[in-house]
Amino acid sequence: LGEDRRIQHAITLSMCGIESGMKNKKSGSGILDNDYKAAFDLMVAKWPIMVLAKKGVGKIMEEWLLSLFNNVYSIVVVNGVMGSLIRLLRYLRQGDLPSMLLFCYGIDPHLVRLTNRLEGIPLYSMPMQGPVLQGESPLKPLTEKYKVIGYCDDCKPAITKMSEFSLVERETRLFEAASGTMLHRDPTSGKMKLLRLGRWKGTLQKEDLPLECQYIAISELLDM
């Protein structure tokens, strides 16, 4: 959703995060692959509209978006014969571009909260040059970290310590309660995966995860 947030940027950032995480043998890290169940169908339509209103969308736009989901019906036609009215629930509809855009706005608060709370995988650090006023501290270095990437209903946060597993779980449950979405938590589905990096690649096991996060499957990084 923007010139600086294209899919190729996310792919490149992910590649850099994996490469940086694999080089760090002293401490482990990982990239978590969160997958939501039928995300568009489960997100309550009013939630992304509330997010847009918080971002500054005008009242007229807010009411127009709400009108797309209030008192909406569908009519099934078979061989030219119209059936009865089917009242549609007030959720985002699967399969159309507006639903994808609204979902992207709806998941944005979740991504922002994770970005502000996760430590992230360091990618690089560069010293900042320039004059400093008398009595002030030196300029902080310019740093870049992989913290979290979101694309539609895919959310991929970086985990750098054990406590962040529980942090992501708490934030995910908060997002679920607010929006109506549901995360895959069936351990037999294999939907949720953790890509182990650095020291965690050979040592971290599923049993080491916090109890509430043991639905996550462990994934290996294949040698190319």
Side-chain angles (χ1 to χ4, degrees), residues 29 36 51 66 75 91 109-110 113 119 122 147 157 167 170 183 186 198 202 209-210:
S29 61
Y36 290 90
V51 174
L66 283 172
I75 302 176
Y91 297 94
H110 180 52
R113 287 181 63 90
E119 186 172 316
K147 291 188 174 183
L167 185 151
R170 290 195 303 270
L183 193 70
D186 181 2
L209 304 180

Side-chain angles (χ1 to χ4, degrees), residues 2-122:
E3 290 300 320
D4 61 339
R5 292 294 184 271
R6 294 187 177 275
I7 185 64
Q8 57 263 36
H9 298 151
I11 293 173
T12 303
L13 187 62
S14 299
M15 292 172 59
C16 293
I18 293 172
E19 182 179 0
S20 177
M22 288 300 294
K23 289 180 179 178
N24 189 355
K25 301 299 183 181
K26 294 182 179 180
S27 60
S29 61
I31 296 180
L32 187 60
D33 182 11
N34 280 355
D35 187 13
Y36 290 90
K37 295 180 182 178
F40 294 89
D41 294 335
L42 294 178
M43 178 174 280
V44 179
K46 194 172 182 180
W47 170 251
I49 298 174
M50 292 171 59
V51 174
L52 285 169
K54 204 71 175 177
K55 290 177 177 289
V57 168
K59 193 68 177 178
I60 295 177
M61 183 65 176
E62 183 182 352
E63 293 176 352
W64 178 78
L65 288 172
L66 283 172
S67 70
L68 300 177
F69 301 96
N70 290 333
N71 299 321
V72 179
Y73 297 87
S74 178
I75 302 176
V76 178
V77 180
V78 180
N79 295 330
V81 179
M82 297 178 61
S84 59
L85 297 178
I86 301 175
R87 191 169 188 274
L88 301 179
L89 297 176
R90 298 176 183 178
Y91 297 94
L92 300 184
R93 301 177 187 80
Q94 186 75 267
D96 60 355
L97 182 59
S99 291
M100 180 183 292
L101 292 175
L102 287 174
F103 188 91
C104 289
Y105 283 114
I107 200 174
D108 190 55
H110 180 52
L111 300 177
V112 171
R113 287 181 63 90
L114 288 177
T115 299
N116 293 336
R117 287 161 175 78
L118 292 173
E119 186 172 316
I121 300 174

